[in-house]
Amino acid sequence: MFHHLAQRAFLQVVACAVATLLLAGCAMSTFGPTGDFGATQGGVQDMGFARELIKSGRVPPPEAFVVEGMFSEHDLGLTGEPCERTLCLRTATAIAPDLDANTCGWLQVGMSSTIDMDTFQRQNLSIVACIDVSGSMGWDYATEQTAYVSPGQVSRNLLSTIAAELTGNDQIAIVTYGTTVNTVLPVTNGSQQVTIQAAIDSLTTGGVTDMESGLRRAYEIARSVSGETPQVRVMLFTDIQPNVGAVTATEFEQIVADGADDGIGLTVFGVGVGMRQELMNAISHLRDGNAFSLFDNEDVVELMDDSWPWMVSPIAYNLALELTPAESFVGADAYGFPSAGDSEEGPKLETATVFLSRRKGALLVRFEPQGDTPLSQFAVTGRLTYQTPEGEPVEQTVNAAYAGQPLDEHGRYFDQPNVGSTLALAMLVSGMNSAAQAYATDRDAAIATMEAVVQRFSDDMSALNDASLDTELQLAQDMLNLMQQGADQGDLYGYGVL
């Protein structure tokens, strides 16, 4: 699911947080303004669901292919002038063909951070854990009988591990939902580990899946502790299969949006291969939201190594790009924006939250030349704007251009190598999404699309020196093989123990 990193470093530190994460009474820590640490957009943080379905012999549904999820698994930062702020934004251009072989101009925004991970101290935190105990989660499944690990067992392990990270400056409550909703642990100081772990150990299966009622209770408790700690976050542990009360993505998006308006973040832990990915996408892209996929206990270890405490450490909100391309170029597509969409002015270029991360994230925009406009005229101006967690507005200008450098044998030019990797990954995920859409109604067309995707990505790799792309080429080839074999498509909900 995640690229394995160095063995876990427990971040028990004594220095204060950087300027945008100040705690009351702390002095600012010092750091080098280089942008050497990572930052990524919120929303879905991995391609785990698609990977696990392909591994299980099934063609994923289209919504499993999330560009920002793929970007978050790779280190795609850009080099440039030293940064003076916690969030470091740099830009670079490219000339390269899109999926239809039309040569376009591209702009990447690279995201990194100037924090010092060795002296970083996360903010104090209130967690309301909202736990799915419905029958499909398998909370009472006997591990010793089989190697299969149920979503409930993964959730128990993860919740216990997160709870163990809490201190006396933190607090946690636990809400469960199934047929009924129960507050099995009222708001409890993080130092009360015996009480907290006993509550986690007591969790057991409880019927159907009334996720709406569970989330409403969790947000009610979260609102009751608002202001007691700098961060208040609902953590949802679920296989995302609601069948009582609200069931649509739109309904849940409104519940989460109301919570976000009240300053309550949401982290979704989607567990198991029966997830509704489109619902996870919808509720994790809002302000202070992110989402992760897990399938076994090894994923728990890897997630905590990789993402704690960065998953609860936002450093910017409402990041927006206002871009004006050179005359005769138009903005056509955006990649890596969790709330991606189009408007009359072009692609929507906004991301609600930027979190700290071990990897440096990316945003990508494609620009089409009109008529016979020469590519040597490609340039982009504009501005990047966002707010710090304290509400301070920040603005940064964009002034990037292609200076007519020679193209390679595949018709590509990249300002920096990572722009090539970013573009290759965006085209890969977009192409796999298109193939998955076609597979439901026209398998021959889907196979043809997927063959072109594999060839395109292989060509991209030949122009780049990025070993991390090897895994993604194999993923694409495996999906093509499944399509050629006529494999079933969709999640594995209701198909029993794997």
Side-chain angles (χ1 to χ4, degrees), residues 49-140:
F49 185 50
R51 295 184 194 281
E52 196 69 15
L53 285 177
I54 291 172
K55 178 182 174 181
S56 300
R58 205 168 181 87
V59 175
E63 57 270 15
F65 298 99
V66 183
V67 173
E68 57 269 22
M70 178 66 86
F71 282 180
S72 294
E73 290 188 330
H74 290 263
D75 199 348
L76 301 171
L78 300 176
T79 60
E81 293 296 319
C83 303
E84 299 299 333
R85 289 188 171 273
T86 303
L87 175 59
C88 183
L89 301 173
R90 298 184 174 114
T91 58
T93 60
I95 300 295
D98 62 12
L99 282 174
D100 296 322
N102 301 311
T103 302
C104 299
W106 304 79
L107 178 76
Q108 177 179 332
V109 177
M111 295 181 288
S112 58
S113 175
T114 54
I115 75 108
D116 182 346
M117 66 176 294
D118 294 324
T119 58
F120 174 78
Q121 180 180 330
R122 67 168 173 82
Q123 289 185 317
N124 299 337
L125 178 66
S126 294
I127 293 174
V128 182
C130 186
I131 313 297
D132 183 349
V133 294
S134 63
S136 61
M137 291 286 286
W139 282 90
D140 304 318

XYZ file of all heavy atoms in Angstrom, residues 49-140:
694
model
N -6.855 0.789 -2.295
C -8.028 0.007 -2.675
C -7.842 -0.610 -4.057
O -8.094 -1.808 -4.267
C -9.265 0.904 -2.634
C -10.556 0.190 -2.898
C -10.884 -0.966 -2.218
C -11.467 0.693 -3.819
C -12.086 -1.628 -2.455
C -12.669 0.054 -4.062
C -12.984 -1.114 -3.380
N -7.388 0.190 -5.027
C -7.147 -0.337 -6.368
C -6.073 -1.425 -6.347
O -6.215 -2.479 -6.980
C -6.736 0.792 -7.313
N -5.004 -1.185 -5.601
C -3.926 -2.171 -5.537
C -4.430 -3.494 -4.949
O -4.089 -4.573 -5.448
C -2.771 -1.623 -4.693
C -2.077 -0.408 -5.280
C -0.880 0.006 -4.424
N -0.411 1.340 -4.789
C 0.348 1.606 -5.854
N 0.719 0.624 -6.654
N 0.730 2.842 -6.104
N -5.216 -3.401 -3.874
C -5.657 -4.624 -3.210
C -6.645 -5.403 -4.072
O -6.613 -6.636 -4.108
C -6.293 -4.272 -1.857
C -6.441 -5.448 -0.907
C -5.107 -5.969 -0.384
O -4.095 -5.258 -0.523
O -5.102 -7.100 0.161
N -7.540 -4.710 -4.798
C -8.464 -5.415 -5.686
C -7.722 -6.112 -6.822
O -8.024 -7.262 -7.160
C -9.497 -4.438 -6.249
C -10.602 -3.989 -5.297
C -11.502 -2.972 -5.979
C -11.431 -5.184 -4.809
N -6.749 -5.437 -7.413
C -5.967 -6.066 -8.484
C -5.213 -7.273 -7.940
O -5.163 -8.338 -8.574
C -5.016 -5.032 -9.111
C -5.823 -3.994 -9.895
C -3.983 -5.716 -10.015
C -5.015 -2.817 -10.402
N -4.651 -7.130 -6.762
C -3.967 -8.253 -6.115
C -4.918 -9.421 -5.882
O -4.521 -10.594 -5.963
C -3.374 -7.775 -4.793
C -2.658 -8.843 -3.981
C -2.151 -8.244 -2.673
C -1.550 -9.306 -1.753
N -1.086 -8.696 -0.459
N -6.190 -9.111 -5.613
C -7.199 -10.141 -5.351
C -7.821 -10.698 -6.627
O -8.737 -11.527 -6.560
C -8.311 -9.572 -4.460
O -7.797 -9.133 -3.228
N -7.371 -10.228 -7.795
C -7.851 -10.776 -9.056
C -9.101 -10.116 -9.595
O -9.849 -10.732 -10.362
N -9.322 -8.858 -9.238
C -10.538 -8.162 -9.639
C -10.178 -6.811 -10.254
O -9.273 -6.126 -9.781
C -11.436 -7.966 -8.426
C -12.909 -7.828 -8.739
C -13.702 -7.931 -7.433
N -15.122 -7.836 -7.652
C -15.906 -8.876 -7.933
N -15.391 -10.085 -8.043
N -17.202 -8.704 -8.107
N -10.884 -6.423 -11.310
C -10.686 -5.123 -11.928
C -11.365 -4.068 -11.053
O -12.555 -4.171 -10.773
C -11.271 -5.077 -13.351
C -11.153 -3.666 -13.930
C -10.578 -6.097 -14.249
N -10.644 -3.067 -10.595
C -11.253 -2.060 -9.720
C -12.308 -1.230 -10.451
O -12.255 -1.070 -11.674
C -10.072 -1.180 -9.303
C -8.858 -2.027 -9.537
C -9.195 -2.867 -10.737
N -13.247 -0.654 -9.701
C -14.179 0.298 -10.306
C -13.455 1.600 -10.623
O -12.376 1.873 -10.072
C -15.230 0.495 -9.203
C -14.490 0.226 -7.932
C -13.486 -0.848 -8.266
N -13.999 2.436 -11.505
C -13.288 3.661 -11.915
C -12.905 4.557 -10.758
O -11.814 5.152 -10.756
C -14.295 4.353 -12.849
C -15.188 3.263 -13.328
C -15.269 2.258 -12.235
N -13.796 4.685 -9.750
C -13.539 5.623 -8.660
C -12.365 5.210 -7.779
O -11.912 5.992 -6.925
C -14.789 5.804 -7.803
C -15.356 4.536 -7.206
C -16.390 3.859 -8.095
O -16.478 4.200 -9.306
O -17.119 2.982 -7.586
N -11.838 3.996 -7.965
C -10.669 3.561 -7.194
C -9.385 4.224 -7.682
O -8.362 4.170 -6.995
C -10.523 2.044 -7.263
N -9.436 4.868 -8.849
C -8.235 5.471 -9.427
C -8.255 6.968 -9.133
O -8.939 7.749 -9.797
C -8.166 5.171 -10.917
C -8.060 3.699 -11.197
C -9.176 2.965 -11.558
C -6.850 3.042 -11.031
C -9.087 1.598 -11.776
C -6.748 1.674 -11.245
C -7.867 0.948 -11.621
N -7.509 7.350 -8.113
C -7.523 8.707 -7.575
C -6.125 9.301 -7.762
O -5.169 8.844 -7.143
C -7.919 8.703 -6.089
C -8.014 10.125 -5.561
C -9.229 7.946 -5.877
N -6.009 10.319 -8.594
C -4.700 10.867 -8.931
C -3.971 11.375 -7.690
O -2.780 11.105 -7.499
C -4.826 11.978 -9.986
C -3.473 12.661 -10.205
C -5.334 11.416 -11.303
N -4.694 12.111 -6.820
C -4.008 12.633 -5.638
C -3.550 11.513 -4.716
O -2.562 11.656 -3.987
C -4.888 13.624 -4.874
C -6.219 13.100 -4.413
C -7.327 13.334 -5.425
O -7.021 13.513 -6.632
O -8.502 13.346 -5.019
N -4.263 10.371 -4.722
C -3.813 9.219 -3.961
C -2.486 8.693 -4.473
O -1.581 8.376 -3.695
N -2.361 8.610 -5.795
C -1.098 8.177 -6.387
C 0.012 9.183 -6.115
O 1.136 8.809 -5.737
C -1.267 7.978 -7.894
C 0.010 7.562 -8.619
S 0.616 5.920 -8.136
C -0.354 4.886 -9.257
N -0.285 10.464 -6.280
C 0.733 11.480 -6.013
C 1.241 11.377 -4.579
O 2.440 11.553 -4.317
C 0.145 12.875 -6.230
C 0.021 13.304 -7.677
C -0.507 14.544 -7.991
C 0.427 12.485 -8.717
C -0.614 14.965 -9.307
C 0.311 12.884 -10.041
C -0.215 14.134 -10.335
N 0.342 11.113 -3.630
C 0.724 11.078 -2.214
C 1.630 9.907 -1.880
O 2.289 9.906 -0.835
C -0.526 11.043 -1.331
O -1.253 12.244 -1.441
N 1.683 8.911 -2.747
C 2.568 7.766 -2.525
C 3.979 7.991 -3.080
O 4.853 7.148 -2.867
C 1.973 6.516 -3.173
C 0.729 6.005 -2.469
C 0.260 4.672 -3.011
O 0.489 4.406 -4.215
O -0.327 3.918 -2.249
N 4.178 9.095 -3.777
C 5.466 9.359 -4.421
C 6.023 10.698 -3.954
O 5.291 11.597 -3.564
C 5.306 9.351 -5.936
C 5.025 8.004 -6.511
N 6.003 7.203 -7.052
C 3.871 7.297 -6.591
C 5.460 6.068 -7.464
N 4.167 6.098 -7.196
N 7.339 10.820 -4.033
C 8.022 12.055 -3.662
C 8.219 12.872 -4.937
O 9.068 12.543 -5.759
C 9.364 11.718 -3.013
C 9.923 12.880 -2.203
O 9.391 13.993 -2.336
O 10.873 12.666 -1.438
N 7.431 13.953 -5.093
C 7.365 14.671 -6.357
C 7.730 16.144 -6.213
O 7.343 16.976 -7.025
C 5.953 14.550 -6.946
C 5.484 13.113 -7.207
C 4.004 13.088 -7.569
C 6.314 12.451 -8.301
N 8.500 16.461 -5.191
C 8.837 17.852 -4.926
C 9.728 18.468 -5.991
O 10.377 17.777 -6.783
N 9.749 19.791 -6.001
C 10.568 20.554 -6.934
C 11.659 21.314 -6.188
O 11.494 21.671 -5.021
C 9.694 21.555 -7.698
C 8.559 20.955 -8.534
C 7.720 22.066 -9.150
C 9.097 20.018 -9.613
N 12.760 21.568 -6.871
C 13.835 22.366 -6.294
C 13.646 23.826 -6.684
O 12.915 24.151 -7.623
C 15.198 21.876 -6.774
O 15.248 21.980 -8.210
C 15.419 20.423 -6.368
N 14.318 24.708 -5.953
C 14.213 26.126 -6.256
C 14.813 26.974 -5.156
O 15.593 26.487 -4.330
N 14.436 28.238 -5.144
C 14.943 29.160 -4.146
C 14.509 28.729 -2.749
O 13.451 28.119 -2.568
C 14.427 30.574 -4.426
C 14.960 31.194 -5.705
C 16.458 31.390 -5.647
O 16.959 31.803 -4.573
O 17.137 31.117 -6.657
N 15.316 29.015 -1.718
C 14.914 28.688 -0.346
C 13.569 29.319 0.009
O 13.213 30.381 -0.505
C 16.046 29.277 0.509
C 17.213 29.332 -0.423
C 16.649 29.637 -1.779
N 12.836 28.641 0.878
C 11.514 29.098 1.288
C 11.593 29.713 2.677
O 12.355 29.256 3.525
C 10.531 27.933 1.301
S 10.392 27.092 -0.285
N 10.767 30.709 2.901
C 10.748 31.387 4.192
C 9.521 31.018 5.016
O 9.428 31.404 6.177
C 10.796 32.906 3.980
C 12.044 33.397 3.267
C 13.325 33.094 4.031
O 13.258 32.978 5.281
O 14.385 32.958 3.394
N 8.573 30.298 4.429
C 7.357 29.932 5.139
C 7.285 28.425 5.334
O 7.967 27.659 4.659
C 6.121 30.421 4.375
C 5.958 31.939 4.408
C 4.629 32.346 3.821
N 4.379 33.764 4.033
C 3.814 34.272 5.120
N 3.440 33.466 6.105
N 3.615 35.574 5.229
N 6.418 28.008 6.250
C 6.283 26.582 6.542
C 5.891 25.798 5.301
O 6.427 24.720 5.035
C 5.239 26.371 7.647
O 5.630 27.113 8.800
C 5.141 24.896 8.019
N 4.923 26.292 4.529
C 4.534 25.645 3.284
C 5.356 26.240 2.152
O 5.353 27.454 1.919
C 3.041 25.852 3.009
C 2.538 25.318 1.654
C 2.790 23.822 1.527
C 1.062 25.645 1.470
N 6.054 25.376 1.435
C 6.927 25.786 0.337
C 6.293 25.364 -0.984
O 6.078 24.175 -1.218
C 8.294 25.133 0.508
S 9.503 25.613 -0.731
N 5.974 26.337 -1.838
C 5.356 26.077 -3.131
C 6.296 26.518 -4.246
O 6.728 27.672 -4.287
C 4.028 26.834 -3.246
C 2.974 26.514 -2.188
C 1.788 27.464 -2.319
C 2.508 25.063 -2.300
N 6.634 25.579 -5.136
C 7.492 25.890 -6.268
C 6.807 25.417 -7.545
O 5.989 24.488 -7.514
C 8.851 25.205 -6.113
C 9.650 25.655 -4.884
C 11.012 25.006 -4.873
N 11.864 25.510 -3.793
C 12.278 24.778 -2.754
N 11.911 23.506 -2.648
N 13.059 25.299 -1.834
N 7.161 26.018 -8.671
C 6.526 25.659 -9.935
C 7.572 25.296 -10.978
O 8.727 25.720 -10.917
C 5.665 26.814 -10.475
O 6.478 27.975 -10.654
C 4.530 27.134 -9.517
N 7.122 24.486 -11.949
C 7.966 24.113 -13.080
C 7.057 23.729 -14.240
O 5.921 23.302 -14.040
C 8.900 22.959 -12.716
N 7.570 23.854 -15.457
C 6.775 23.590 -16.649
C 7.245 22.332 -17.366
O 8.312 21.786 -17.089
C 6.834 24.778 -17.627
O 8.196 24.975 -18.014
C 6.283 26.038 -16.983
N 6.428 21.913 -18.331
C 6.775 20.783 -19.190
C 6.056 20.941 -20.520
O 5.023 21.621 -20.616
C 6.384 19.464 -18.539
N 6.603 20.317 -21.521
C 5.943 20.141 -22.817
C 5.887 18.638 -23.053
O 6.913 17.954 -23.019
C 6.726 20.818 -23.957
C 6.864 22.315 -23.704
C 6.042 20.545 -25.291
C 5.557 23.078 -23.710
N 4.682 18.106 -23.255
C 4.537 16.653 -23.413
C 3.146 16.340 -23.942
O 2.214 17.143 -23.780
C 4.751 15.942 -22.076
N 2.982 15.176 -24.565
C 1.654 14.794 -25.068
C 0.722 14.385 -23.939
O 1.153 13.895 -22.895
C 1.959 13.614 -25.999
C 3.256 13.060 -25.507
C 4.024 14.217 -24.965
N -0.581 14.591 -24.143
C -1.584 14.086 -23.212
C -1.961 12.661 -23.615
O -1.310 12.045 -24.475
C -2.801 15.010 -23.167
C -3.518 15.114 -24.514
O -3.219 14.314 -25.433
O -4.385 16.006 -24.648
N -3.014 12.123 -23.025
C -3.394 10.737 -23.321
C -3.846 10.536 -24.760
O -3.802 9.422 -25.288
C -4.509 10.291 -22.365
C -4.063 9.912 -20.955
C -5.270 9.629 -20.074
C -3.132 8.694 -20.986
N -4.284 11.616 -25.405
C -4.713 11.531 -26.806
C -3.594 11.890 -27.772
O -3.851 12.119 -28.966
C -5.914 12.457 -27.030
C -7.132 12.030 -26.229
O -7.366 10.818 -26.118
O -7.834 12.911 -25.697
N -2.368 11.952 -27.258
C -1.172 12.227 -28.063
C -1.140 13.659 -28.594
O -0.420 13.952 -29.550
C -1.043 11.230 -29.211
N -1.904 14.568 -27.976
C -1.835 15.983 -28.324
C -0.785 16.662 -27.447
O -0.877 16.602 -26.216
C -3.190 16.656 -28.108
C -4.284 16.025 -28.941
O -4.117 15.825 -30.143
N -5.405 15.707 -28.316
N 0.197 17.290 -28.048
C 1.252 17.923 -27.273
C 0.721 19.184 -26.603
O 0.106 20.036 -27.252
C 2.449 18.264 -28.163
O 2.918 17.059 -28.783
C 3.578 18.866 -27.339
N 0.966 19.286 -25.307
C 0.406 20.366 -24.487
C 1.478 20.984 -23.616
O 2.576 20.434 -23.460
C -0.711 19.814 -23.590
S -2.106 19.082 -24.476
N 1.141 22.120 -23.024
C 1.956 22.705 -21.980
C 1.432 22.282 -20.622
O 0.224 22.074 -20.448
N 2.344 22.134 -19.660
C 1.980 21.652 -18.330
C 2.641 22.524 -17.275
O 3.762 23.011 -17.470
C 2.444 20.204 -18.122
C 1.939 19.240 -19.154
C 2.422 19.056 -20.419
C 0.848 18.327 -19.010
N 1.721 18.080 -21.072
C 0.740 17.614 -20.235
C -0.041 18.029 -17.980
C -0.220 16.625 -20.448
C -0.997 17.042 -18.180
C -1.086 16.361 -19.394
N 1.945 22.706 -16.159
C 2.525 23.401 -15.011
C 2.356 22.524 -13.780
O 1.237 22.093 -13.471
C 1.830 24.742 -14.759
C 2.360 25.507 -13.541
C 3.709 26.143 -13.863
C 1.365 26.568 -13.065
N 3.465 22.243 -13.092
C 3.405 21.534 -11.812
C 3.645 22.515 -10.677
O 4.518 23.382 -10.757
C 4.453 20.425 -11.724
C 4.461 19.727 -10.357
C 5.456 18.605 -10.239
O 5.794 17.969 -11.237
N 5.925 18.341 -9.029
N 2.865 22.345 -9.614
C 3.137 23.004 -8.345
C 3.657 21.934 -7.401
O 2.952 20.945 -7.131
C 1.884 23.671 -7.757
C 2.194 24.289 -6.394
C 1.347 24.732 -8.709
N 4.883 22.091 -6.939
C 5.466 21.171 -5.974
C 5.257 21.694 -4.564
O 5.397 22.888 -4.309
N 4.919 20.794 -3.640
C 4.644 21.178 -2.255
C 5.646 20.509 -1.323
O 5.867 19.301 -1.402
C 3.223 20.769 -1.863
C 2.143 21.493 -2.639
S 0.471 21.011 -2.117
C 0.389 19.344 -2.791
N 6.225 21.302 -0.452
C 7.112 20.772 0.578
C 6.984 21.660 1.804
O 6.138 22.548 1.858
C 8.560 20.701 0.080
O 9.017 21.973 -0.334
N 7.822 21.414 2.807
C 7.715 22.164 4.053
C 9.096 22.426 4.629
O 10.029 21.647 4.423
C 6.870 21.393 5.070
O 6.863 22.057 6.322
N 9.195 23.502 5.388
C 10.449 23.856 6.041
C 10.521 23.358 7.476
O 11.459 23.714 8.194
C 10.627 25.381 6.044
O 9.473 25.990 6.634
C 10.825 25.908 4.643
N 9.580 22.531 7.918
C 9.644 22.047 9.303
C 10.837 21.108 9.480
O 11.294 20.448 8.543
C 8.341 21.366 9.756
C 8.192 19.973 9.134
C 7.141 22.220 9.498
C 8.393 18.851 10.102
N 11.313 21.032 10.686
C 12.379 20.108 11.066
C 11.718 18.932 11.792
O 11.206 19.089 12.899
C 13.375 20.816 11.979
C 14.539 19.923 12.388
O 14.457 18.688 12.186
O 15.524 20.460 12.926
N 11.679 17.783 11.152
C 10.952 16.653 11.735
C 11.560 16.202 13.061
O 10.871 15.588 13.881
C 10.903 15.477 10.761
C 12.225 14.831 10.444
S 12.036 13.364 9.379
C 11.153 12.237 10.462
N 12.821 16.521 13.302
C 13.460 16.089 14.540
C 13.088 16.968 15.728
O 13.306 16.576 16.880
C 14.987 16.075 14.369
C 15.433 15.023 13.373
O 14.803 13.944 13.341
O 16.387 15.279 12.625
N 12.563 18.158 15.462
C 12.185 19.044 16.553
C 10.704 19.425 16.497
O 10.266 20.306 17.224
C 13.028 20.331 16.535
O 12.860 20.995 15.288
C 14.501 20.004 16.756
N 9.959 18.751 15.646
C 8.542 19.057 15.483
C 7.734 18.519 16.660
O 7.962 17.408 17.136
C 8.020 18.447 14.181
C 6.534 18.585 13.998
C 6.000 19.793 13.594
C 5.691 17.524 14.250
C 4.627 19.928 13.427
C 4.330 17.638 14.099
C 3.791 18.850 13.679
N 6.798 19.300 17.108
C 5.861 18.868 18.142
C 4.452 19.103 17.632
O 4.070 20.228 17.318
C 6.074 19.663 19.438
C 5.117 19.265 20.561
C 5.372 20.067 21.812
O 6.506 20.481 22.076
N 4.330 20.296 22.579
N 3.676 18.046 17.505
C 2.308 18.220 17.006
C 1.470 18.980 18.024
O 1.783 19.032 19.212
C 1.661 16.859 16.721
C 1.405 16.004 17.949
C 0.500 14.823 17.629
N 0.383 13.909 18.768
C -0.436 14.092 19.790
N -1.222 15.161 19.844
N -0.475 13.211 20.775
N 0.366 19.534 17.545
C -0.556 20.218 18.423
C -1.305 19.225 19.309
O -1.485 18.059 18.952
C -1.577 21.012 17.612
C -0.998 22.247 16.928
C -2.079 23.058 16.253
O -2.955 22.506 15.613
N -2.018 24.372 16.402
N -1.742 19.689 20.460
C -2.612 18.876 21.308
C -3.891 18.554 20.548
O -4.377 19.351 19.735
C -2.937 19.622 22.604
C -1.693 19.920 23.417
O -0.665 19.256 23.274
N -1.777 20.929 24.272
N -4.464 17.399 20.839
C -5.463 16.814 19.952
C -6.621 16.206 20.723
O -6.417 15.508 21.719
C -4.774 15.735 19.102
C -5.591 14.917 18.123
C -6.120 15.806 16.992
C -4.719 13.798 17.538
N -7.835 16.483 20.254
C -9.025 15.768 20.726
C -9.515 14.882 19.595
O -9.795 15.374 18.489
C -10.132 16.754 21.120
O -9.770 17.523 22.236
N -9.600 13.584 19.848
C -10.068 12.620 18.854
C -11.419 12.073 19.284
O -11.599 11.684 20.443
C -9.077 11.453 18.699
C -7.761 11.930 18.096
C -9.678 10.340 17.838
C -6.684 10.850 18.051
N -12.361 12.033 18.353
C -13.586 11.267 18.552
C -13.552 10.132 17.540
O -13.700 10.351 16.337
C -14.855 12.115 18.375
C -16.092 11.265 18.656
C -14.825 13.330 19.292
N -13.274 8.924 18.019
C -13.202 7.756 17.148
C -14.614 7.246 16.900
O -15.351 6.954 17.841
C -12.347 6.671 17.791
N -14.993 7.177 15.634
C -16.325 6.718 15.226
C -16.148 5.352 14.571
O -15.597 5.241 13.472
C -16.938 7.723 14.261
S -18.645 7.388 13.804
N -16.611 4.309 15.236
C -16.229 2.938 14.887
C -17.410 2.148 14.330
O -18.454 2.015 14.980
C -15.686 2.194 16.121
C -14.662 3.063 16.876
C -15.093 0.864 15.708
C -13.433 3.388 16.096
N -17.237 1.622 13.141
C -18.226 0.747 12.510
C -18.120 -0.643 13.136
O -17.086 -1.314 13.008
C -17.927 0.694 11.012
C -18.921 -0.136 10.218
O -19.733 -0.848 10.821
O -18.850 -0.070 8.971
N -19.182 -1.076 13.840
C -19.174 -2.422 14.438
C -20.220 -3.309 13.782
O -20.683 -4.290 14.364
C -19.388 -2.360 15.970
C -18.217 -1.679 16.657
C -20.713 -1.677 16.332
N -20.614 -2.982 12.553
C -21.591 -3.804 11.835
C -21.014 -5.178 11.522
O -19.803 -5.407 11.618
C -22.013 -3.100 10.547
O -20.903 -2.950 9.681
N -21.890 -6.086 11.123
C -21.493 -7.472 10.906
C -20.398 -7.664 9.887
O -19.539 -8.551 10.033
N -20.380 -6.822 8.842
C -19.375 -6.989 7.789
C -17.964 -6.672 8.262
O -16.994 -7.043 7.610
C -19.721 -6.082 6.599
O -19.716 -4.719 6.986
N -17.831 -5.998 9.402
C -16.513 -5.644 9.922
C -15.803 -6.818 10.592
O -14.585 -6.813 10.717
C -16.627 -4.474 10.898
C -17.002 -3.154 10.239
S -15.633 -2.421 9.324
C -14.606 -1.833 10.676
N -16.548 -7.803 11.074
C -15.924 -8.997 11.634
C -15.139 -8.767 12.909
O -14.032 -9.274 13.074
N -15.719 -7.993 13.842
C -15.002 -7.694 15.091
C -14.736 -8.943 15.921
O -13.760 -9.005 16.677
C -15.804 -6.689 15.920
C -15.651 -5.295 15.414
C -16.420 -4.675 14.476
C -14.643 -4.353 15.772
N -15.956 -3.406 14.232
C -14.866 -3.176 15.031
C -13.571 -4.381 16.669
C -14.063 -2.050 15.146
C -12.778 -3.259 16.790
C -13.020 -2.111 16.037
N -15.581 -9.940 15.810
C -15.433 -11.149 16.642
C -14.807 -12.301 15.872
O -14.835 -13.451 16.333
C -16.813 -11.573 17.175
C -17.493 -10.456 17.938
O -16.795 -9.777 18.709
O -18.702 -10.254 17.756
